[in-house]
Amino acid sequence: MSDATSDQTRQPWHGVLVATALPYTEDLQVDLDAYAEHVRWLADNGVHGVVPNGSLGEYPVLTAEERAKVVETAVAAAPDGFVVMPGVGAYGAIESRHFAEQAAEAGAQVLMALPPNSYRADERAVVEHFREIAKAGLPVTAYNNPIDTKTDLTPRLLATLFHEGLIVAVKEFTGDVRRAYEIAELAPGLDLMIGSDDVVLEVGIAGAKGWVAGYTNAFPRATVELYELSVARDVERALPLYRTLHPLLRWDSRTEFVQAIKLSMDLVGRRGGPCRPPRQPLAPDQEAAVRRATEVVLEAGLA
C-alpha cells in the first residue's frame, strides 16, 4: 500500500514518525547500540522516520549529553530518505535552542518543539519561545501537550505561530478532534499531525499529514497500514484494524504509556525493558491488561 502523500509533495514531517522508546542497560544507562538497531528495524518495517527525545523517549530524565548522543545515533542509523525529527523540549527557550542547534548540526531534517515546560506561559512568552527555536534554521513542528506543559497551543495561537513562519506543523495531543477543523480554518497550510495513538482514524479522516506514533514501536506494519487507511478515508477497511489495535493505542494517552509500550515491545520480541525513575513498573492489573491486549493483536497476525 502506498502512502496517501506522494513523494513529490512529501515533507520531512509527513507520514508515520515514531516517537522512539529508549533502551537502557541493566544499570539504566542509555544503550545506544540497541537504540541504533531499533531505528534501523523501524526503517526496515515501513515507517517514515523517528522522533528521538520525545516524551516516549523519556527526555526529561536524560542528561544534555545523553540527549545529544541519542540524536546523533538516530541520524547515523537512519537510511537515505529516513527522517529524524528530534524533540527539543525544555523549560526555557535558551535550552531548547541549544538542543535545536545540536540537532541541526547532527543532520536532523526537522524539529519537534514544545512550549516552555511546566511554566504557564502567556501567548507572548510562547511566541518568543518559538522565535528562539526557529533561529536554529530547521523547520519546526509544534507539540501541543497542555496536560504536561500547562500551556495550551490553541488553534488561534498556532495560527499566530504559523503566519509568522515559526512552525510548519503541529502534533496535536489534546485528543479533541474538533480542533483539526478550526486549525484548518485559521491556519490553512499548517500541517496537522496525529499526536495521540487513540485518535488515528478520526484525525486521519480530518486531514492529517502525519502521525507522531507511539505503539508503532511494537507494531510498525499494522500501525502504518492503519494510518494510510485513515488518511485515505477508507473507513470500511480501517475500522476493523482500529478496533483490534485500540485497546493498546489508548494507552498512549495514559500516564503509564511508556511502560505499556515497552512491555508490548518485550512481548513481541523487541527490546523494551525498564524505564528510569520516576516511572515505576506497571501495577499488576495494568500489566495484565497490556498483556491481554498485546496477545489479541499477535493472535490476529498483526506483528
Side-chain angles (χ1 to χ4, degrees):
M1 181 183 298
S2 61
D3 190 350
T5 304
S6 70
D7 291 339
Q8 288 75 24
T9 60
R10 181 189 298 281
Q11 296 292 347
W13 53 91
H14 288 176
V16 180
L17 306 185
V18 184
T20 41
L22 191 62
Y24 299 114
T25 62
E26 290 185 2
D27 59 351
L28 294 182
Q29 298 302 303
V30 176
D31 190 334
L32 293 173
D33 290 338
Y35 181 64
E37 190 277 332
H38 187 51
V39 171
R40 290 190 290 267
W41 180 78
L42 289 169
D44 289 342
N45 279 274
V47 308
H48 304 104
V50 291
V51 182
N53 296 336
S55 302
L56 186 49
E58 301 177 66
Y59 79 91
V61 296
L62 301 180
T63 67
E65 182 181 7
E66 287 172 332
R67 288 181 65 165
K69 287 182 177 179
V70 167
V71 174
E72 292 165 4
T73 299
V75 172
D80 290 344
F82 193 74
V83 174
V84 178
M85 182 172 75
V88 296
Y91 185 81
I94 294 173
E95 192 176 8
S96 285
R97 179 182 172 182
H98 169 72
F99 290 128
E101 290 172 341
Q102 281 186 334
E105 185 175 348
Q109 301 96 324
V110 58
L111 305 171
M112 185 176 74
L114 288 158
N117 284 5
S118 304
Y119 173 69
R120 203 177 297 276
D122 61 16
E123 292 192 4
R124 182 170 57 99
V126 170
V127 172
E128 288 298 329
H129 182 83
F130 279 91
R131 283 174 179 162
E132 195 68 22
I133 293 169
K135 292 176 182 177
L138 289 180
V140 175
T141 293
Y143 178 7
N144 185 34
N145 184 350
I147 298 169
D148 291 338
T149 65
K150 313 304 180 188
T151 300
D152 190 359
L153 301 180
T154 64
R156 185 172 60 82
L157 180 51
L158 288 169
T160 297
L161 297 171
F162 174 69
H163 291 309
E164 190 172 321
L166 301 178
I167 61 173
V168 295
V170 57
K171 174 188 175 182
E172 172 50 53
F173 184 76
T174 63
D176 184 352
V177 181
R178 295 169 296 185
R179 291 191 177 209
Y181 303 98
E182 189 175 1
I183 290 168
E185 292 167 10
L186 297 177
L190 176 63
D191 287 339
L192 178 65
M193 300 192 71
I194 302 159
S196 177
D197 288 0
D198 53 356
V199 291
V200 174
L201 180 59
E202 295 84 354
V203 182
I205 290 171
K209 298 294 185 182
W211 176 18
V212 180
Y215 248 99
T216 304
N217 280 280
F219 295 102
R221 293 193 179 276
T223 50
V224 169
E225 180 181 4
L226 174 61
Y227 167 78
E228 293 180 346
L229 290 170
S230 298
V231 297
R233 297 170 181 164
D234 189 344
V235 178
E236 184 176 354
R237 294 171 64 196
L239 193 54
L241 180 58
Y242 197 36
R243 288 189 186 279
T244 301
L245 290 169
H246 209 274
L248 289 177
L249 299 181
R250 68 182 65 129
W251 280 93
D252 190 49
S253 296
R254 297 176 179 173
T255 302
E256 303 83 8
F257 73 109
V258 181
Q259 297 97 312
I261 291 171
K262 282 190 165 185
L263 174 57
S264 288
M265 291 171 68
D266 289 332
L267 294 174
V268 302
R270 298 302 302 159
R271 173 81 174 275
C275 300
R276 279 184 175 174
R279 287 186 169 89
Q280 299 297 304
L282 294 172
D285 61 326
Q286 295 171 328
E287 180 178 342
V290 173
R291 285 182 178 275
R292 284 195 302 271
T294 303
E295 287 168 3
V296 169
V297 175
L298 289 172
E299 290 169 0
L302 297 177

